[in-house]
Coordinates of all heavy atoms in Angstrom, one line a residue:
M1 N -3.1 -9.1 -22.7 CA -3.9 -8.5 -21.7 C -3.0 -7.4 -21.0 O -1.9 -7.6 -20.7 CB -4.3 -9.5 -20.6 CG -5.2 -8.9 -19.5 SD -5.7 -10.3 -18.5 CE -6.7 -9.5 -17.3
E2 N -3.6 -6.2 -20.9 CA -2.9 -5.1 -20.4 C -2.7 -5.2 -18.8 O -3.7 -5.5 -18.1 CB -3.6 -3.8 -20.7 CG -2.7 -2.5 -20.4 CD -3.4 -1.3 -21.0 OE1 -3.9 -1.4 -22.1 OE2 -3.3 -0.3 -20.3
S3 N -1.6 -4.8 -18.3 CA -1.3 -4.9 -16.9 C -2.0 -3.7 -16.2 O -2.2 -2.6 -16.8 CB 0.1 -4.8 -16.6 OG 0.8 -5.9 -17.1
K4 N -2.5 -3.9 -15.0 CA -3.1 -2.8 -14.2 C -2.0 -2.2 -13.3 O -1.4 -2.9 -12.5 CB -4.2 -3.3 -13.3 CG -4.9 -2.3 -12.6 CD -6.1 -2.8 -11.8 CE -6.8 -1.7 -11.1 NZ -7.9 -2.1 -10.4
K5 N -1.7 -0.9 -13.6 CA -0.6 -0.3 -12.8 C -1.2 0.4 -11.6 O -2.3 1.0 -11.6 CB 0.1 0.7 -13.7 CG 0.8 0.1 -14.8 CD 1.5 1.1 -15.7 CE 2.3 0.3 -16.8 NZ 3.0 1.2 -17.7
R6 N -0.5 0.3 -10.5 CA -1.0 0.8 -9.2 C 0.0 1.9 -8.7 O 1.2 1.6 -8.8 CB -1.1 -0.3 -8.1 CG -1.8 -1.5 -8.6 CD -3.2 -1.2 -9.1 NE -4.1 -0.6 -8.2 CZ -4.9 -1.3 -7.4 NH1 -5.0 -2.6 -7.5 NH2 -5.8 -0.7 -6.6
V7 N -0.5 3.0 -8.3 CA 0.3 4.1 -7.7 C 0.1 4.1 -6.2 O -1.1 4.3 -5.8 CB 0.0 5.4 -8.4 CG1 0.8 6.5 -7.7 CG2 0.3 5.4 -9.9
I8 N 1.1 3.9 -5.4 CA 0.9 3.7 -4.0 C 1.7 4.8 -3.2 O 2.9 5.1 -3.5 CB 1.5 2.3 -3.6 CG1 0.6 1.3 -4.4 CG2 1.4 2.1 -2.1 CD1 1.3 -0.1 -4.4
R9 N 1.0 5.3 -2.2 CA 1.7 6.2 -1.3 C 1.6 5.6 0.1 O 0.5 5.2 0.5 CB 1.1 7.6 -1.3 CG 1.4 8.4 -2.6 CD 1.0 9.8 -2.5 NE -0.4 10.0 -2.4 CZ -1.1 10.8 -1.7 NH1 -0.4 11.7 -0.9 NH2 -2.4 10.9 -1.7
I10 N 2.7 5.5 0.8 CA 2.7 4.8 2.1 C 3.1 5.9 3.1 O 4.1 6.6 2.9 CB 3.6 3.6 2.1 CG1 3.5 2.9 3.4 CG2 5.0 3.9 1.6 CD1 4.2 1.5 3.4
C11 N 2.3 6.0 4.2 CA 2.6 6.9 5.3 C 3.8 6.4 6.1 O 3.8 5.3 6.6 CB 1.4 7.1 6.2 SG 1.8 8.3 7.5
M12 N 4.9 7.2 6.1 CA 6.1 6.9 6.8 C 6.2 7.7 8.1 O 7.3 7.8 8.6 CB 7.3 7.0 5.9 CG 7.3 6.0 4.7 SD 7.1 4.3 5.2 CE 8.8 3.9 5.5
G13 N 5.1 8.3 8.5 CA 5.2 9.0 9.8 C 5.5 8.0 10.9 O 5.2 6.8 10.7
S14 N 5.9 8.4 12.1 CA 6.4 7.5 13.1 C 5.3 6.6 13.6 O 5.5 5.4 13.9 CB 7.0 8.3 14.3 OG 6.0 9.2 14.8
S15 N 4.0 7.1 13.7 CA 3.0 6.2 14.2 C 2.7 5.1 13.2 O 2.6 3.9 13.6 CB 1.7 7.1 14.4 OG 0.6 6.2 14.8
C16 N 2.5 5.4 12.0 CA 2.2 4.4 10.9 C 3.3 3.5 10.8 O 3.2 2.3 10.6 CB 1.8 5.1 9.6 SG 0.1 5.7 9.6
Y17 N 4.5 4.0 10.8 CA 5.7 3.2 10.6 C 5.8 2.1 11.7 O 6.0 0.9 11.4 CB 7.0 4.0 10.6 CG 8.2 3.2 10.2 CD1 8.6 3.0 8.9 CD2 9.0 2.6 11.2 CE1 9.6 2.2 8.5 CE2 10.1 1.8 10.8 CZ 10.4 1.6 9.5 OH 11.5 0.9 9.1
S18 N 5.6 2.5 13.0 CA 5.7 1.6 14.1 C 4.6 0.6 14.2 O 4.7 -0.4 14.7 CB 5.9 2.4 15.4 OG 4.7 3.1 15.7
R19 N 3.4 1.0 13.6 CA 2.2 0.2 13.6 C 2.1 -0.8 12.5 O 1.2 -1.5 12.4 CB 1.0 1.0 13.7 CG 0.9 1.8 15.0 CD -0.2 2.8 15.0 NE -1.5 2.1 15.2 CZ -2.6 2.7 15.4 NH1 -2.7 4.0 15.4 NH2 -3.7 2.0 15.6
G20 N 3.1 -0.8 11.6 CA 3.1 -1.8 10.5 C 3.5 -1.3 9.2 O 3.8 -2.2 8.3
N21 N 3.6 0.0 8.9 CA 4.1 0.4 7.6 C 5.5 0.1 7.3 O 6.0 0.1 6.2 CB 3.7 1.8 7.3 CG 2.4 2.0 6.7 OD1 1.7 1.0 6.3 ND2 1.9 3.2 6.5
G22 N 6.3 -0.2 8.4 CA 7.7 -0.7 8.1 C 7.6 -2.0 7.4 O 8.4 -2.2 6.4
Q23 N 6.8 -2.9 7.8 CA 6.6 -4.2 7.1 C 6.0 -4.0 5.8 O 6.4 -4.6 4.8 CB 5.8 -5.1 8.0 CG 6.5 -5.6 9.2 CD 5.5 -6.4 10.1 OE1 4.5 -6.0 10.5 NE2 5.9 -7.7 10.3
N24 N 5.0 -3.1 5.7 CA 4.3 -2.8 4.4 C 5.3 -2.3 3.4 O 5.3 -2.6 2.2 CB 3.1 -1.9 4.6 CG 2.0 -2.5 5.3 OD1 1.8 -3.8 5.2 ND2 1.2 -1.8 5.9
A25 N 6.2 -1.4 3.9 CA 7.2 -0.9 3.0 C 8.2 -2.0 2.4 O 8.5 -1.9 1.3 CB 8.0 0.2 3.7
E26 N 8.5 -2.9 3.3 CA 9.3 -4.0 2.9 C 8.6 -4.9 1.8 O 9.2 -5.3 0.8 CB 9.7 -4.9 4.0 CG 10.7 -4.3 5.0 CD 11.0 -5.2 6.2 OE1 10.7 -6.4 6.1 OE2 11.6 -4.7 7.1
L27 N 7.3 -5.1 2.0 CA 6.5 -5.8 1.0 C 6.5 -5.1 -0.3 O 6.7 -5.7 -1.4 CB 5.1 -6.1 1.5 CG 4.1 -6.7 0.5 CD1 4.6 -8.1 0.1 CD2 2.7 -6.7 1.1
L28 N 6.3 -3.8 -0.3 CA 6.2 -3.0 -1.5 C 7.6 -3.0 -2.2 O 7.7 -3.0 -3.4 CB 5.8 -1.6 -1.2 CG 4.3 -1.4 -0.8 CD1 4.0 0.0 -0.3 CD2 3.4 -1.8 -2.0
Q29 N 8.7 -2.9 -1.4 CA 10.0 -3.0 -2.0 C 10.2 -4.3 -2.7 O 10.7 -4.3 -3.9 CB 11.1 -2.8 -0.9 CG 12.5 -2.8 -1.5 CD 12.7 -1.6 -2.4 OE1 12.6 -0.5 -2.0 NE2 13.1 -1.9 -3.7
H30 N 9.7 -5.4 -2.1 CA 9.8 -6.7 -2.7 C 9.0 -6.7 -4.1 O 9.5 -7.2 -5.1 CB 9.3 -7.8 -1.8 CG 9.2 -9.1 -2.4 ND1 10.3 -9.9 -2.7 CD2 8.2 -9.9 -2.8 CE1 10.0 -11.0 -3.3 NE2 8.6 -11.0 -3.4
L31 N 7.8 -6.1 -4.0 CA 7.0 -6.1 -5.2 C 7.7 -5.3 -6.3 O 7.6 -5.6 -7.5 CB 5.6 -5.6 -4.9 CG 4.8 -6.5 -4.0 CD1 3.5 -5.8 -3.7 CD2 4.6 -7.9 -4.6
M32 N 8.3 -4.2 -5.9 CA 9.0 -3.3 -6.9 C 10.2 -4.1 -7.5 O 10.4 -4.0 -8.7 CB 9.5 -2.0 -6.3 CG 8.4 -1.1 -5.8 SD 7.5 -0.4 -7.2 CE 8.7 0.8 -7.8
D33 N 10.9 -4.9 -6.7 CA 12.0 -5.6 -7.1 C 11.6 -6.7 -8.1 O 12.3 -7.0 -9.1 CB 12.8 -6.2 -5.9 CG 13.5 -5.2 -5.1 OD1 13.6 -4.0 -5.5 OD2 13.9 -5.5 -4.0
T34 N 10.5 -7.4 -7.8 CA 10.1 -8.5 -8.7 C 9.3 -8.0 -9.8 O 9.1 -8.7 -10.8 CB 9.3 -9.5 -7.9 OG1 8.2 -8.9 -7.3 CG2 10.2 -10.1 -6.8
G35 N 8.7 -6.8 -9.7 CA 8.0 -6.2 -10.8 C 6.5 -6.5 -10.9 O 5.7 -5.7 -11.4
T36 N 6.0 -7.6 -10.4 CA 4.6 -7.9 -10.5 C 4.1 -8.6 -9.2 O 4.9 -9.1 -8.4 CB 4.3 -8.9 -11.6 OG1 5.0 -10.2 -11.3 CG2 4.7 -8.4 -13.0
L37 N 2.8 -8.5 -9.0 CA 2.2 -9.2 -7.9 C 1.5 -10.5 -8.4 O 1.8 -11.5 -7.8 CB 1.2 -8.2 -7.3 CG 0.4 -8.8 -6.1 CD1 1.4 -9.1 -4.9 CD2 -0.6 -7.8 -5.6
D38 N 0.7 -10.4 -9.4 CA -0.1 -11.6 -9.8 C 0.0 -11.8 -11.3 O -0.8 -12.5 -11.8 CB -1.5 -11.5 -9.3 CG -2.2 -10.3 -9.9 OD1 -1.6 -9.6 -10.8 OD2 -3.4 -10.1 -9.6
G39 N 0.9 -11.1 -11.9 CA 1.0 -11.2 -13.4 C 0.2 -10.1 -14.1 O 0.6 -9.7 -15.2
D40 N -0.9 -9.7 -13.5 CA -1.7 -8.6 -14.2 C -1.5 -7.3 -13.5 O -1.7 -6.2 -14.1 CB -3.2 -9.0 -14.1 CG -3.5 -10.2 -15.0 OD1 -2.7 -10.4 -16.0 OD2 -4.4 -10.9 -14.7
T41 N -1.1 -7.3 -12.2 CA -1.0 -6.1 -11.5 C 0.5 -5.7 -11.3 O 1.3 -6.6 -10.9 CB -1.6 -6.3 -10.0 OG1 -2.9 -6.6 -10.2 CG2 -1.5 -5.0 -9.3
V42 N 0.8 -4.5 -11.7 CA 2.2 -4.0 -11.6 C 2.2 -2.8 -10.6 O 1.4 -1.9 -10.7 CB 2.7 -3.6 -13.0 CG1 4.1 -3.0 -12.8 CG2 2.7 -4.7 -13.9
V43 N 3.1 -2.9 -9.6 CA 3.3 -1.8 -8.8 C 4.2 -0.8 -9.5 O 5.4 -1.0 -9.7 CB 4.0 -2.2 -7.4 CG1 4.2 -1.0 -6.6 CG2 3.1 -3.2 -6.7
S44 N 3.6 0.3 -10.0 CA 4.4 1.1 -10.9 C 5.0 2.3 -10.2 O 6.0 2.8 -10.7 CB 3.4 1.7 -12.0 OG 2.4 2.5 -11.4
E45 N 4.5 2.7 -9.1 CA 5.1 3.8 -8.4 C 4.8 3.7 -6.9 O 3.7 3.5 -6.5 CB 4.5 5.1 -9.0 CG 5.1 6.4 -8.4 CD 4.4 7.6 -8.9 OE1 4.1 7.6 -10.1 OE2 4.2 8.6 -8.2
V46 N 5.8 3.9 -6.1 CA 5.7 3.9 -4.6 C 6.4 5.1 -4.1 O 7.5 5.4 -4.5 CB 6.3 2.6 -4.0 CG1 6.1 2.7 -2.5 CG2 5.6 1.4 -4.5
S47 N 5.7 5.8 -3.2 CA 6.4 6.9 -2.6 C 6.0 7.0 -1.1 O 4.9 6.5 -0.7 CB 6.1 8.3 -3.3 OG 4.7 8.5 -3.2
G48 N 6.8 7.5 -0.3 CA 6.5 7.7 1.1 C 6.0 9.1 1.4 O 6.3 10.0 0.7
T49 N 5.1 9.2 2.4 CA 4.6 10.5 2.7 C 4.9 10.7 4.2 O 5.2 9.8 5.0 CB 3.0 10.6 2.5 OG1 2.4 9.7 3.5 CG2 2.7 10.2 1.1
L50 N 4.7 12.0 4.6 CA 4.8 12.3 6.0 C 3.4 12.0 6.6 O 2.5 11.6 5.9 CB 5.2 13.7 6.2 CG 6.6 14.1 5.7 CD1 6.9 15.5 5.8 CD2 7.7 13.2 6.4
C51 N 3.2 12.3 7.9 CA 1.9 12.0 8.6 C 0.8 12.6 7.8 O 0.7 13.7 7.4 CB 2.0 12.6 10.0 SG 0.4 12.3 10.9
E52 N -0.2 11.7 7.6 CA -1.4 12.1 6.8 C -2.5 12.6 7.8 O -3.6 12.9 7.3 CB -2.0 10.8 6.1 CG -1.1 10.3 5.0 CD -1.0 11.2 3.8 OE1 -2.0 11.9 3.5 OE2 -0.1 11.1 3.0
G53 N -2.2 12.7 9.0 CA -3.2 13.2 10.0 C -4.3 12.2 10.4 O -5.3 12.6 10.9
L54 N -4.0 10.9 10.1 CA -4.9 9.8 10.4 C -4.3 8.8 11.3 O -4.6 7.6 11.2 CB -5.4 9.2 9.1 CG -6.2 10.1 8.2 CD1 -6.3 9.4 6.8 CD2 -7.5 10.5 8.7
C55 N -3.4 9.2 12.2 CA -2.6 8.3 13.0 C -3.4 7.2 13.7 O -3.0 6.1 13.8 CB -1.8 9.1 14.0 SG -0.7 10.3 13.3
R56 N -4.5 7.6 14.3 CA -5.3 6.6 15.1 C -5.9 5.5 14.2 O -6.3 4.5 14.7 CB -6.5 7.4 15.7 CG -6.1 8.2 16.9 CD -7.4 8.7 17.6 NE -7.0 9.5 18.7 CZ -7.8 10.0 19.6 NH1 -9.1 9.8 19.4 NH2 -7.4 10.7 20.6
E57 N -5.9 5.8 12.9 CA -6.5 4.8 12.0 C -5.4 4.1 11.2 O -5.7 3.3 10.3 CB -7.5 5.5 11.0 CG -8.6 6.1 11.8 CD -9.5 6.9 10.8 OE1 -10.3 6.3 10.2 OE2 -9.4 8.2 10.8
G58 N -4.2 4.3 11.5 CA -3.1 3.8 10.7 C -2.8 2.3 11.0 O -3.5 1.7 11.9
P59 N -2.0 1.7 10.3 CA -1.1 2.3 9.2 C -2.0 2.6 8.0 O -2.9 1.9 7.6 CB -0.2 1.1 8.9 CG -0.3 0.1 9.9 CD -1.7 0.3 10.5
I60 N -1.6 3.8 7.4 CA -2.3 4.3 6.3 C -1.5 4.0 5.0 O -0.3 4.3 4.9 CB -2.4 5.9 6.4 CG1 -3.3 6.2 7.7 CG2 -3.0 6.5 5.1 CD1 -4.7 5.8 7.7
V61 N -2.2 3.5 4.0 CA -1.6 3.3 2.7 C -2.6 3.8 1.7 O -3.8 3.5 1.8 CB -1.3 1.8 2.4 CG1 -0.8 1.6 1.0 CG2 -0.3 1.2 3.4
I62 N -2.2 4.6 0.7 CA -3.1 5.2 -0.3 C -2.7 4.6 -1.6 O -1.6 4.6 -2.1 CB -2.8 6.8 -0.3 CG1 -3.1 7.4 1.0 CG2 -3.7 7.4 -1.4 CD1 -2.6 8.8 1.2
I63 N -3.7 3.9 -2.2 CA -3.6 3.2 -3.5 C -4.5 3.9 -4.5 O -5.7 4.0 -4.3 CB -3.9 1.7 -3.3 CG1 -3.1 1.1 -2.2 CG2 -3.8 1.0 -4.7 CD1 -3.5 -0.4 -1.9
D64 N -3.8 4.4 -5.5 CA -4.6 5.1 -6.6 C -5.5 6.1 -6.0 O -6.7 6.2 -6.4 CB -5.3 4.1 -7.5 CG -4.3 3.2 -8.2 OD1 -3.2 3.6 -8.4 OD2 -4.8 2.1 -8.5
E65 N -5.0 6.9 -5.0 CA -5.8 8.0 -4.4 C -6.9 7.6 -3.4 O -7.6 8.4 -2.9 CB -6.4 9.0 -5.4 CG -5.3 9.6 -6.4 CD -4.2 10.4 -5.6 OE1 -4.5 11.0 -4.6 OE2 -3.1 10.3 -6.1
V66 N -7.0 6.3 -3.2 CA -8.0 5.8 -2.2 C -7.2 5.5 -0.9 O -6.2 4.8 -0.9 CB -8.7 4.5 -2.7 CG1 -9.6 4.0 -1.6 CG2 -9.4 4.8 -4.0
V67 N -7.7 6.1 0.2 CA -7.0 6.0 1.5 C -7.5 4.7 2.2 O -8.7 4.4 2.3 CB -7.4 7.2 2.4 CG1 -6.8 7.0 3.8 CG2 -6.9 8.5 1.8
H68 N -6.5 3.9 2.6 CA -6.8 2.6 3.3 C -6.3 2.7 4.7 O -5.1 3.2 4.9 CB -6.2 1.4 2.5 CG -6.8 1.2 1.2 ND1 -8.0 0.6 0.9 CD2 -6.3 1.7 0.0 CE1 -8.2 0.6 -0.4 NE2 -7.2 1.3 -1.0
R69 N -7.1 2.2 5.6 CA -6.7 2.4 7.0 C -6.4 1.0 7.6 O -6.9 0.0 7.1 CB -7.9 3.0 7.8 CG -8.2 4.4 7.4 CD -9.6 4.8 7.7 NE -9.8 6.3 7.6 CZ -10.0 6.9 6.5 NH1 -10.1 6.2 5.4 NH2 -10.2 8.2 6.5
Q70 N -5.6 1.0 8.7 CA -5.3 -0.3 9.4 C -4.8 -1.4 8.4 O -5.3 -2.5 8.4 CB -6.5 -0.8 10.2 CG -6.9 0.3 11.3 CD -8.0 -0.2 12.1 OE1 -8.8 -1.0 11.8 NE2 -8.1 0.4 13.3
V71 N -3.9 -1.0 7.6 CA -3.4 -1.9 6.5 C -2.3 -2.8 7.1 O -1.2 -2.3 7.5 CB -2.9 -1.1 5.3 CG1 -2.4 -2.0 4.3 CG2 -4.0 -0.2 4.8
T72 N -2.6 -4.1 7.1 CA -1.6 -5.1 7.4 C -0.9 -5.6 6.1 O -1.5 -5.3 5.0 CB -2.2 -6.3 8.1 OG1 -3.1 -6.9 7.1 CG2 -3.0 -5.9 9.3
P73 N 0.2 -6.2 6.2 CA 0.8 -6.8 4.9 C -0.1 -7.7 4.1 O -0.2 -7.7 2.9 CB 2.1 -7.5 5.4 CG 2.5 -6.7 6.6 CD 1.1 -6.4 7.3
I74 N -0.9 -8.5 4.9 CA -1.8 -9.4 4.2 C -2.9 -8.6 3.5 O -3.3 -8.9 2.3 CB -2.5 -10.4 5.2 CG1 -1.4 -11.3 5.7 CG2 -3.6 -11.2 4.6 CD1 -1.8 -12.2 6.8
L75 N -3.5 -7.6 4.2 CA -4.5 -6.8 3.5 C -3.9 -6.0 2.3 O -4.5 -5.9 1.3 CB -5.1 -5.8 4.6 CG -6.1 -4.8 4.0 CD1 -7.3 -5.5 3.3 CD2 -6.6 -3.8 5.1
L76 N -2.7 -5.5 2.5 CA -2.1 -4.8 1.4 C -1.9 -5.7 0.1 O -2.2 -5.3 -1.0 CB -0.7 -4.3 1.8 CG 0.1 -3.5 0.8 CD1 -0.6 -2.3 0.2 CD2 1.5 -3.1 1.4
A77 N -1.5 -6.9 0.4 CA -1.3 -7.9 -0.8 C -2.7 -8.1 -1.4 O -2.8 -8.2 -2.6 CB -0.7 -9.2 -0.3
D78 N -3.7 -8.3 -0.5 CA -5.1 -8.5 -1.1 C -5.6 -7.3 -1.8 O -6.3 -7.5 -2.9 CB -6.0 -8.9 0.1 CG -5.8 -10.3 0.6 OD1 -5.1 -11.1 -0.1 OD2 -6.3 -10.6 1.7
L79 N -5.4 -6.1 -1.3 CA -5.8 -4.9 -2.0 C -5.2 -4.8 -3.4 O -5.8 -4.5 -4.4 CB -5.5 -3.7 -1.2 CG -6.3 -3.4 0.1 CD1 -5.7 -2.4 0.9 CD2 -7.7 -3.1 -0.3
L80 N -3.9 -5.1 -3.4 CA -3.2 -5.0 -4.7 C -3.6 -6.1 -5.7 O -3.6 -5.9 -6.9 CB -1.7 -5.0 -4.5 CG -1.1 -3.8 -3.7 CD1 0.4 -4.0 -3.4 CD2 -1.3 -2.5 -4.5
A81 N -3.9 -7.2 -5.1 CA -4.3 -8.3 -6.0 C -5.8 -8.2 -6.4 O -6.3 -8.9 -7.3 CB -4.1 -9.7 -5.3
G82 N -6.5 -7.3 -5.7 CA -7.9 -7.1 -6.1 C -8.8 -8.2 -5.5 O -10.0 -8.3 -5.9
T83 N -8.3 -8.9 -4.5 CA -9.1 -10.0 -3.9 C -10.0 -9.4 -2.7 O -10.8 -10.2 -2.2 CB -8.3 -11.1 -3.3 OG1 -7.3 -10.6 -2.5 CG2 -7.6 -11.8 -4.5
V84 N -9.8 -8.2 -2.3 CA -10.7 -7.5 -1.4 C -11.2 -6.2 -2.1 O -10.4 -5.6 -2.8 CB -10.1 -7.3 0.0 CG1 -9.9 -8.5 0.7 CG2 -8.9 -6.4 -0.1
K85 N -12.4 -5.8 -1.8 CA -12.9 -4.6 -2.4 C -12.2 -3.3 -1.7 O -12.0 -3.3 -0.5 CB -14.4 -4.5 -2.1 CG -15.0 -3.4 -2.9 CD -16.5 -3.4 -2.7 CE -17.1 -2.3 -3.6 NZ -18.4 -2.0 -3.3
E86 N -11.9 -2.4 -2.6 CA -11.2 -1.1 -2.1 C -12.2 -0.1 -1.7 O -13.2 0.0 -2.2 CB -10.3 -0.6 -3.2 CG -9.2 -1.5 -3.5 CD -8.1 -0.8 -4.4 OE1 -7.9 0.4 -4.2 OE2 -7.6 -1.5 -5.2
Ligands
LIG1 S1 1.8 8.8 11.0 FE1 0.6 8.0 9.4 S2 -1.3 9.2 9.7 FE2 0.1 10.0 11.2

């Protein structure tokens, strides 16, 4: 079975960082270190961005070009695992 690769951009602007993307970044780093999330999903690329202009709706995480708002670490893990709809 082919792995599903995810390309993730995480807003590292000061608002998103202080509202939770610091923790989300740590989770993504862990996933990059271990290589997989659930055996089928691979975090293939993670990059940080500057403010996306959506501070009020942050923390902002963009997964495969889809913008996600108010992303907690639990929601991020669920989004990557595909257990919640994107
Ligand atoms: S700091 Fe993330 S949208 Fe502004």
Side-chain angles (χ1 to χ4, degrees):
M1 184 173 179
E2 189 171 324
S3 298
K4 183 174 183 182
K5 296 182 178 177
R6 313 306 296 269
V7 176
I8 300 161
R9 290 189 294 140
I10 181 168
C11 179
M12 297 304 276
S14 59
S15 177
C16 284
Y17 188 87
S18 66
R19 295 173 74 175
N21 268 356
Q23 291 175 301
N24 287 334
E26 288 178 14
L27 174 61
L28 289 170
Q29 183 62 58
H30 173 73
L31 295 176
M32 292 291 286
D33 290 345
T34 58
T36 63
L37 181 64
D38 62 3
D40 294 332
T41 302
V42 176
V43 177
S44 61
E45 183 182 324
V46 176
S47 59
T49 68
L50 299 177
C51 178
E52 295 285 337
L54 299 167
C55 301
R56 286 186 179 187
E57 302 174 77
I60 300 295
V61 178
I62 302 166
I63 302 173
D64 298 333
E65 301 302 324
V66 177
V67 176
H68 297 278
R69 295 160 167 81
Q70 298 180 337
V71 179
T72 63
I74 292 172
L75 176 58
L76 178 57
D78 287 344
L79 287 167
L80 294 173
T83 54
V84 294
K85 188 172 183 195
E86 292 190 39

